[in-house]
Amino acid sequence: PGMMGGMMGGMMPGMMPGMMNGMGCGMLPNSRSGPPPPPPGPPPPQPPGGSLHSGTTPASSSRGGASASKAAPARRAPKLDEEVQRLCDHFEIDPKSAKRLDEEIAKRADTKPSDLARLWDLLEDVGSPTCLLDLKIDEMVAGEFTGMVLNDREVEALALNFSLSEEAKEKLNQVVSRRATKKGQDLVRLEGLLTQVDKPSDVATSMAEKLLNGKLESLPDLSEAEDVIKKFNLTQGAKRLLVEIVLARANDSSRILGQLEVYFEDHARNRASEVLRELSGRLLAGGDVPEEPLWRGGKSRSHSGPAGRRWVSGGRAEAAAS
């Protein structure tokens, strides 16, 4: 009788008082203390004009429906990026980790395709994908995660058109993988450059390395150089020389081209190709276009300037040697 009395109190034999509450966390998830709830009573009487099914008046039903419709969106989980969602669904990623990944990928638009391709590769055949993903997200936050280098079809086409070397093609694939949002501009500008140079592979490799190393923010826009070429009818040799200057001065090519256009307009409209050759050494060395014409020897040019003056390095005019 003593044992039955103890068991009827909700305790198993040999258990101390209070142990049943601790077992409720995982071991006995459905155990509850206290008496069972009372049976439901009869439904309340139907008010006049109310709904036979809902037991509410039309006005209260309308208010309840409006509240429910407003509250429903708040209960929905935030929508993830479609490609992130696909990856997380495939590997059954924990919702909290999926949300973290979505937030980090949103900050890495330039490398998003490369990053996700790398994650697909890493998470395949892993015992705990969520655990590994959390580690990789931590690397993203620390700036240590590197995505996969993707083989781009447009890079392949460019390489075929200009017979680019494998090194040049590999560098361009790296550029596309790290600058996805700028891919269109990069490839269009590069194609314009390669049509004007004698060694496309060397130029492609050099420009790609400068982009990857942060020495260039963007490739020079050769359309500005083409405007100068057409406006002043540059010879083929001068045209290639101008492209060489643009490549050497990629970070400030727009400014140099603007200076050249003003200089040609004011001082050398009919001999721009010749004058460009005279200025090329100065410009390739990092100097600016002078504000006044360059003079050589003691005889003045017919288009400007006093006789007996010549332009020397540093933008200083001095008397010519007699």
Side-chain angles (χ1 to χ4, degrees), residues 268-284:
R269 170 168 279 279
N270 297 322
R271 40 190 304 278
S273 294
E274 178 187 350
V275 171
L276 180 62
R277 286 192 294 272
E278 295 175 359
L279 294 173
S280 61
R282 176 193 186 100
L283 298 178
L284 289 170

